[in-house]
């Protein structure tokens, strides 16, 4: 297995064919953010005796992670008239929230299978370095990735194509042969298309926006998306070493769609 790489130096340059790349979004894709947020909100409300309705208010105020956290905790502080400052509330969130996140073992096993099949595997996520690094570590994902890229550390956010190129570099490959899997039409699919990647959209019960160029595949969940990547049609031939393998070359896709994702 390749050593996992996040903010570290990229893999040494390969002398063989460019390894194929599979990049994944984190929140709502590899991990169930909604489940983790609810558990955090329940603890937050219970510890402060906030009473009925507080958990649902916190979940609604979070806006699926799209609301900036300084704004969110200013609203939380004001709504519940808390003694702690918004900064203190945010700091506690960064400590506690990642502890409620999980990535099921069968998903980790499929990521391991993907790497063993010759793919380079990475994560591209918008958010704060402290929170997202803790999430990667607590879920065990760091042991199953070749690299990862967090927007705060990178200084650029999805859907900007530069963050995908940086993630590929940290995984020891490039964007020549790659797929991006995520749940955001704007940040993940449109961003992946801008970077020339083929894309898989995790629908989570939603309908694709008809005004946007469609993804290459639609999956109900991450398990279905991984099954597509592990399908024989995309298999890396056994005649090529797992460290330097690549034969599948999807046609590059582009789009002018650009938007923001959860932070």
């Amino acid at each position: 297995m390749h050593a996992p790489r996040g903010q570290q130096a990229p893999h040494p340059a390969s002398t063989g064919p460019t390894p194929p790349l599979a990049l994944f979004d984190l929140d709502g894709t590899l991990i169930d953010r909604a489940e983790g947020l609810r558990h955090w909100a329940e603890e937050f409300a219970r510890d402060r005796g906030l009473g009925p309705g507080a958990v649902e208010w916190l979940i609604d105020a979070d806006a699926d992670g799209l609301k900036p956290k300084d704004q969110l905790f200013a609203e939380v502080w004001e709504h519940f008239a808390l003694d702690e400052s918004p900064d203190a509330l945010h700091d506690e969130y960064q400590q506690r929230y990642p502890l409620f996140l999980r990535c099921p073992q069968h998903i980790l096993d499929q990521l391991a299978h993907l790497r063993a099949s010759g793919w380079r595997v990475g994560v591209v996520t918008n958010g704060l370095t402290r929170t997202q690094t803790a999430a990667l570590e607590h879920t065990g994902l760091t042991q199953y990735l070749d690299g990862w890229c967090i927007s705060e550390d990178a200084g650029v956010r999805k859907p900007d194509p530069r963050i995908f190129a940086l993630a590929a570099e940290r995984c020891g490959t490039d964007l020549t042969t790659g797929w991006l899997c995520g749940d955001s039409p704007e940040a993940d699919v449109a961003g992946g298309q801008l970077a020339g990647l083929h894309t898989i959209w995790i629908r989570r019960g939603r309908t694709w926006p008809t005004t946007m160029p469609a993804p290459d595949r639609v999956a109900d969940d991450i398990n279905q998306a991984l099954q597509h990547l592990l399908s024989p049609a995309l298999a890396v031939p056994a005649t090529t070493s797992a460290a330097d393998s690549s034969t599948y070359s999807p046609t590059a896709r582009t789009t002018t769609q650009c938007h923001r994702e959860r932070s």
Side-chain angles (χ1 to χ4, degrees), residues 28 34 37 42 61 72 77-78 81 96 99 113 131 134 151 164 176 229:
L37 181 71
E42 289 170 347
L72 170 64
W77 173 77
E78 181 177 9
R96 297 297 302 163
L99 303 182
H113 187 185
T131 308
S151 62
F164 301 102
T176 303
L229 293 174

Side-chain angles (χ1 to χ4, degrees), residues 17-81:
T18 302
L21 175 67
L23 291 177
F24 296 88
D25 170 50
L26 185 60
D27 298 299
T29 299
L30 288 176
I31 62 176
D32 187 341
R33 184 180 187 279
E35 178 186 57
L37 181 71
R38 178 167 291 276
H39 289 318
W40 166 81
E42 289 170 347
E43 179 187 77
F44 184 91
R46 182 175 62 252
D47 288 351
R48 292 164 176 80
L50 299 184
V55 170
E56 297 306 324
W57 187 95
L58 288 164
I59 291 171
D60 289 343
D62 173 76
D64 198 25
L66 295 173
K67 184 179 295 182
K69 293 298 178 285
D70 55 351
Q71 178 184 345
L72 170 64
F73 286 103
E75 293 176 4
V76 171
W77 173 77
E78 181 177 9
H79 181 79
F80 294 108

Side-chain angles (χ1 to χ4, degrees), residues 145-161:
L145 302 173
D146 292 292
W148 55 89
C149 198
I150 301 169
S151 62
E152 183 184 41
D153 167 71
V156 62
R157 294 172 59 88
K158 296 184 291 184
D160 191 310

Side-chain angles (χ1 to χ4, degrees), residues 1-3 5 10-15 17-24 111 114-123 144-147 167-174 177-179 229 236 241-245:
M1 267 189 158
H2 313 295
R5 300 181 184 271
H11 287 271
S14 170
T15 57
T18 302
L21 175 67
L23 291 177
F24 296 88
L111 293 176
L114 201 60
R115 294 177 79 203
S117 300
W119 291 74
R120 293 288 169 87
V121 178
V123 159
Y144 295 82
L145 302 173
D146 292 292
E169 180 183 355
R170 289 180 175 178
C171 289
T173 186
D174 58 33
T177 305
W179 286 77
L229 293 174
V236 178
S241 69
D244 296 317
S245 53

Side-chain angles (χ1 to χ4, degrees), residues 7 25-33 36-37 93-104 108 111 123-145 148-150 262-263:
Q7 282 68 51
D25 170 50
L26 185 60
D27 298 299
T29 299
L30 288 176
I31 62 176
D32 187 341
R33 184 180 187 279
L37 181 71
Y93 167 86
Q94 291 188 79
Q95 295 179 50
R96 297 297 302 163
Y97 163 72
L99 303 182
F100 294 109
L101 301 174
R102 65 184 186 90
C103 183
L108 297 175
L111 293 176
V123 159
V124 184
T125 177
N126 285 348
L128 299 176
T129 302
R130 177 184 175 187
T131 308
Q132 301 301 75
T133 300
L136 288 166
E137 292 175 347
H138 178 72
T139 57
L141 277 163
T142 56
Q143 301 305 308
Y144 295 82
L145 302 173
W148 55 89
C149 198
I150 301 169
R262 63 177 62 86
S263 60

